[in-house]
Amino acid sequence: MSNPIFVAIDTPVLDDAITLAESIKGHVGGLKLGLEFFCANGHHGVHEIQKVGLPIFLDLKLHDIPNTVAKAMQAINVLEPAIVTIHASGGRAMMEDAKAAAGSSTKVVGVTLLTSLDERDMARIGYSGSPHDQVERLANLAGEAGLDGIVCSGNEVAAARKLWKSGYFIVPGLRPANGKAADQKRTVTPRAARDNGASVLVIGRPITAAEDPNAAARAIEATL
């Protein structure tokens, strides 16, 4: 992939999403559509965004019993997404069934620990150890289950890459130097994430909320 930037388009308004995608398509490598967009626009919305001509990353974070997740994966195969996310914490059987049900051209990646969570949040949920510990545990499990890779923060991607040299690593929650963290707790810059082994850089508000999204995307691309 020549440009690793996937822009997170988090809006329920299809026309706004299309306008944004068209404005930035020259400086990004793909478009990430999450729950907000998918719940509002469904398959039709994805088809419309595909007309922009960039790879689509469906960030649905599927997490349920194995049969349900497999059926959900089958239901979105017609969309031919480049990437789909599931929660690695759903367990090995769920991950195996999700990968088996996915289209041959779709990468299935496991979300390890949301970038809005830190060690204090982990303790409240009942997870032991540090974010690094959790990411390494689930990276190993995802690899055993046959997934293509994982989602983790830029703080953990270097360690995950050492464990899984052939893995596909998606890093969200990125912020340019001096950017506002907002609700993200484990952030790094796009350049640092790329240097640490990220395959895909997911960038949302630093581009989508900018006064000129195209200029913001171009500026971030120039740092890589």
Side-chain angles (χ1 to χ4, degrees), residues 126-139:
Y127 292 150
S128 61
S130 68
H132 274 83
D133 296 332
Q134 180 72 355
V135 169
E136 290 184 4
R137 277 194 296 264
L138 292 178

Side-chain angles (χ1 to χ4, degrees), residues 130-201:
S130 68
H132 274 83
D133 296 332
Q134 180 72 355
V135 169
E136 290 184 4
R137 277 194 296 264
L138 292 178
N140 284 326
L141 189 62
E144 292 169 4
L147 294 197
D148 296 285
I150 60 168
V151 181
C152 65
S153 88
N155 292 319
E156 296 94 37
V157 69
R161 173 69 75 180
K162 287 181 181 178
L163 288 174
W164 190 358
K165 297 188 185 305
S166 64
Y168 192 74
F169 297 97
I170 296 176
V171 176
L174 299 172
R175 294 293 184 266
N178 302 319
K180 294 181 179 179
D183 57 352
Q184 303 293 332
K185 294 182 179 178
R186 296 173 7 258
T187 67
V188 300
T189 65
R191 178 71 208 201
R194 188 64 166 161
D195 289 345
N196 286 338
S199 309
V200 167
L201 308 174

Side-chain angles (χ1 to χ4, degrees), residues 34-193:
L35 285 175
E36 184 177 0
F37 178 90
F38 194 75
C39 288
N41 299 289
H43 284 215
H44 168 71
V46 177
H47 284 305
E48 292 300 305
I49 293 292
Q50 284 174 326
K51 294 176 182 177
V52 174
L54 291 173
I56 299 297
F57 169 7
L58 284 183
D59 187 20
L60 303 183
K61 298 184 177 74
L62 301 175
H63 189 175
D64 212 308
I65 63 173
N67 182 65
T68 297
V69 170
K71 295 294 185 183
M73 192 68 76
Q74 290 171 355
I76 60 175
N77 279 347
V78 66
L79 300 173
E80 299 183 334
I83 308 166
V84 175
T85 50
I86 63 176
H87 269 288
S89 56
R92 179 168 177 167
M94 189 202 81
M95 288 191 279
E96 289 175 340
D97 286 5
K99 180 58 182 174
S104 59
S105 62
T106 297
K107 291 187 183 296
V108 180
V109 297
V111 176
T112 53
L113 187 69
L114 298 175
T115 52
S116 59
L117 302 178
D118 59 17
E119 195 162 342
R120 185 179 181 187
D121 296 311
M122 286 178 59
R124 288 173 170 169
I125 294 169
Y127 292 150
S128 61
S130 68
H132 274 83
D133 296 332
Q134 180 72 355
V135 169
E136 290 184 4
R137 277 194 296 264
L138 292 178
N140 284 326
L141 189 62
E144 292 169 4
L147 294 197
D148 296 285
I150 60 168
V151 181
C152 65
S153 88
N155 292 319
E156 296 94 37
V157 69
R161 173 69 75 180
K162 287 181 181 178
L163 288 174
W164 190 358
K165 297 188 185 305
S166 64
Y168 192 74
F169 297 97
I170 296 176
V171 176
L174 299 172
R175 294 293 184 266
N178 302 319
K180 294 181 179 179
D183 57 352
Q184 303 293 332
K185 294 182 179 178
R186 296 173 7 258
T187 67
V188 300
T189 65
R191 178 71 208 201

